[in-house]
Amino acid sequence: MTIKKKTKDLILDAAEELFAIRGFYGVSIRQITSKAEVDPALASYHFGKKKDIFEAVMLRRAEVLNRERIQMLDDCIRRAKPNPAPLNEIIDAFTHALLNRSLKGGDGWRSYFAIIAQINNHPELGGVIMSQYFDPLAKKFIAAIQANMPDSQDEDLFWCYHFLSGALTLTFSGTERISKLSAGVCSSSDLDAVHERLVPFITAGFKAFDKQRN
Amino acid sequence: MTIKKKTKDLILDAAEELFAIRGFYGVSIRQITSKAEVDPALASYHFGKKKDIFEAVMLRRAEVLNRERIQMLDDCIRRAKPNPAPLNEIIDAFTHALLNRSLKGGDGWRSYFAIIAQINNHPELGGVIMSQYFDPLAKKFIAAIQANMPDSQDEDLFWCYHFLSGALTLTFSGTERISKLSAGVCSSSDLDAVHERLVPFITAGFKAFDKQRN
DNA sequence: AAAATATTTCAACATTTGTTTAATTATTAG
DNA sequence: CTAATAATTAAACAAATGTTGAAATATTTT
């Protein structure tokens, strides 16, 4: 016997799923509350404005995700001490929690990442959350890379990070186009396959800017 | 003395700019026609439904862009004959027109790419246009890579292409977050800097899956 | 020139939008 | 139990939504 979910979470669950498909402006509060089987007025009562619902959806999972990723990054750095952490381990630490949740986290997480992919390309909406939760981690990540590649230029590393971010983002969006393009080549639903390829790909990309090694 | 623009183009220009900022659902027909300084009914008259306006916006530039990119790819393959085209040239051919238009094409092109970044992560909207104009090129591109790396596995190459696509997409979106993150490191508006880094980064990523070389 | 077609205008339509108000029911605290 | 607080309901609001129709104006064709 499962306990009854609270209204707040019912609304967030419904909002999460709908925002993932149609974006912020493509979803009405009535659609959300209807899917949550709840009175429309409860959305305002519990969260305030529509934007606040959206931010609540983002915050709910951002916290746990952020904690996991920082932990992995710290672990990987501590393991390697006093040497700098290996490049591929840094990149794995940065991406592992994301890919893992996206694959094994269930529908809620899948929706969540679809939203992340949207707002990552859309300044107006996710500005606050993204910079609050993701940017600090990004800086930590770049710093770890810098320790591994001390002779590389900051500007190069920044762009490399940028490319990594884009590759990750698109992977999460789960577009149908991808599976159509790859028809017969592979099943894009098997996200384990991504992990085996993303890390080597990105690692090699970073190493191309390692002055010491080249 | 400049000639007066036709109504159709006035609407498309306004729509392009607005869609880029707020997405399909975030923009109303009245906002579009108001910016275009044109009667709201003219949108329906010239284009039909709202979705048709969106598709018209996409088509207008997709054609010229597609032609340019196919041309560059063919040129690069022909130049190298009978050998396979070099990896970095293939990738440059794939990205050059995009980055060039994005940098030097003016505001219209910038808006256009922002929309591309949105729909690339959003199946419902850009499915038709993307698969009509971009997927054929993607296949051509992957085929060229395959010729260069005959021993590599199809599945690997597909994913590498996927990562490239993501990196490109995020670059075009022009998010403010990027410039905040890179504060003091570099000016993200200088897209020439991207080109110098994207090609080596992606090339190295692909080469990581070159069985022959490794 | 007149006739035919293309474009533009203005007004209106039925829905849907986000949000608020006041009344009612559940839950918790004293 | 009683009082106080929290949560839910139903109704209503003005504003904005996409789209259409018929009349008026431009443009092109004959």
Side-chain angles (χ1 to χ4, degrees):
Chain A
M1 169 182 170
T2 56
I3 62 164
K4 201 181 74 180
K5 271 199 176 179
K6 297 292 203 181
T7 309
K8 267 193 168 191
D9 276 319
L10 288 175
I11 293 175
L12 288 183
D13 289 344
E16 187 172 58
E17 189 175 336
L18 290 173
F19 283 146
I21 303 172
R22 313 238 311 164
F24 179 77
Y25 299 107
V27 176
S28 75
I29 289 181
R30 282 176 169 84
Q31 289 172 334
I32 294 172
T33 54
S34 162
K35 181 184 253 295
E37 290 176 301
V38 142
D39 192 276
L42 288 175
S44 307
Y45 174 74
H46 284 292
F47 297 100
K49 310 285 184 190
K50 187 183 176 186
K51 277 232 163 85
D52 298 324
I53 304 178
F54 188 80
E55 298 208 347
V57 168
M58 294 286 89
L59 279 175
R60 195 167 51 148
R61 301 194 195 270
E63 288 169 4
V64 18
L65 203 58
N66 204 41
R67 211 177 2 254
E68 278 184 22
R69 296 175 78 195
I70 288 181
Q71 173 106 316
M72 284 197 72
L73 201 51
D74 284 341
D75 283 356
C76 137
I77 291 170
R78 185 157 24 75
R79 259 200 318 274
K81 274 211 168 139
N83 297 320
L87 213 53
N88 61 323
E89 282 188 28
I90 300 172
I91 292 163
D92 181 74
F94 190 74
T95 61
H96 190 277
L98 298 174
L99 289 159
N100 192 48
R101 292 283 182 186
S102 174
L103 174 61
K104 296 162 188 162
D107 290 341
W109 278 98
R110 230 191 316 283
S111 296
Y112 177 73
F113 285 120
I115 302 176
I116 293 280
Q118 285 177 36
I119 67 176
N120 201 23
N121 293 355
H122 198 299
E124 188 182 338
L125 288 174
V128 185
I129 290 106
M130 292 304 281
S131 54
Q132 184 173 349
Y133 282 89
F134 288 75
D135 285 357
L137 194 103
K139 287 186 176 159
K140 226 174 151 65
F141 169 78
I142 294 180
I145 300 264
Q146 265 168 337
N148 182 287
M149 296 166 48
D151 293 337
S152 61
Q153 295 188 358
D154 289 0
E155 201 172 340
D156 290 338
L157 290 188
F158 161 71
W159 280 112
C160 290
Y161 166 78
H162 183 69
F163 302 144
L164 162 58
S165 177
L168 259 178
T169 294
L170 185 57
T171 301
F172 291 144
S173 68
T175 313
E176 290 166 15
R177 253 189 76 243
I178 299 172
S179 40
K180 275 174 82 179
L181 232 181
S182 66
V185 177
C186 68
S187 72
S188 72
S189 60
D190 182 17
L191 275 189
D192 270 334
V194 195
H195 207 223
E196 290 168 19
R197 292 172 178 89
L198 181 64
V199 176
F201 185 93
I202 300 296
T203 305
F206 269 99
K207 278 188 180 159
F209 293 89
D210 190 346
K211 309 289 182 197
Q212 204 162 7
R213 214 166 320 223
N214 297 341
Chain B
M1 169 181 173
T2 57
I3 61 163
K4 202 180 74 182
K5 271 201 177 179
K6 296 292 201 183
T7 309
K8 267 193 168 189
D9 277 319
L10 287 175
I11 293 175
L12 289 183
D13 289 344
E16 188 172 58
E17 189 175 336
L18 290 173
F19 283 144
I21 303 173
R22 312 237 311 163
F24 178 77
Y25 300 106
V27 176
S28 74
I29 288 181
R30 281 177 168 82
Q31 289 172 334
I32 294 171
T33 53
S34 162
K35 181 182 255 295
E37 292 177 300
V38 140
D39 191 276
L42 288 174
S44 307
Y45 175 73
H46 283 289
F47 297 100
K49 310 287 183 190
K50 186 183 177 186
K51 278 232 163 86
D52 298 323
I53 304 178
F54 188 79
E55 297 207 349
V57 168
M58 293 286 89
L59 279 176
R60 195 168 50 149
R61 300 192 195 270
E63 289 169 3
V64 18
L65 204 57
N66 204 40
R67 209 175 7 250
E68 278 184 23
R69 295 175 78 196
I70 287 182
Q71 173 106 316
M72 283 197 74
L73 201 50
D74 284 340
D75 284 356
C76 135
I77 291 171
R78 185 158 22 78
R79 260 201 316 276
K81 271 205 171 150
N83 297 320
L87 213 55
N88 62 322
E89 282 188 28
I90 299 173
I91 292 163
D92 181 73
F94 190 74
T95 60
H96 191 276
L98 298 173
L99 289 158
N100 192 48
R101 292 283 183 187
S102 174
L103 174 61
K104 296 162 187 162
D107 291 340
W109 278 98
R110 232 192 315 285
S111 297
Y112 178 73
F113 285 121
I115 303 176
I116 292 281
Q118 286 178 34
I119 67 175
N120 201 24
N121 292 357
H122 198 298
E124 188 182 338
L125 288 175
V128 186
I129 289 105
M130 291 306 279
S131 53
Q132 184 174 349
Y133 282 89
F134 288 75
D135 285 357
L137 194 104
K139 287 185 176 162
K140 225 173 151 66
F141 168 77
I142 293 181
I145 301 265
Q146 265 168 336
N148 183 286
M149 297 165 51
D151 294 337
S152 61
Q153 296 188 358
D154 289 0
E155 201 172 341
D156 289 339
L157 290 189
F158 162 72
W159 280 112
C160 290
Y161 166 78
H162 183 70
F163 302 145
L164 162 58
S165 177
L168 259 179
T169 293
L170 186 57
T171 301
F172 292 144
S173 69
T175 313
E176 290 166 14
R177 254 189 76 241
I178 300 173
S179 42
K180 276 174 81 179
L181 233 181
S182 65
V185 177
C186 67
S187 71
S188 70
S189 61
D190 182 16
L191 276 190
D192 269 335
V194 196
H195 206 224
E196 289 167 19
R197 291 172 179 90
L198 180 64
V199 176
F201 185 93
I202 300 295
T203 305
F206 269 100
K207 278 189 181 159
F209 293 90
D210 190 346
K211 309 289 180 195
Q212 204 163 6
R213 214 167 319 224
N214 296 341

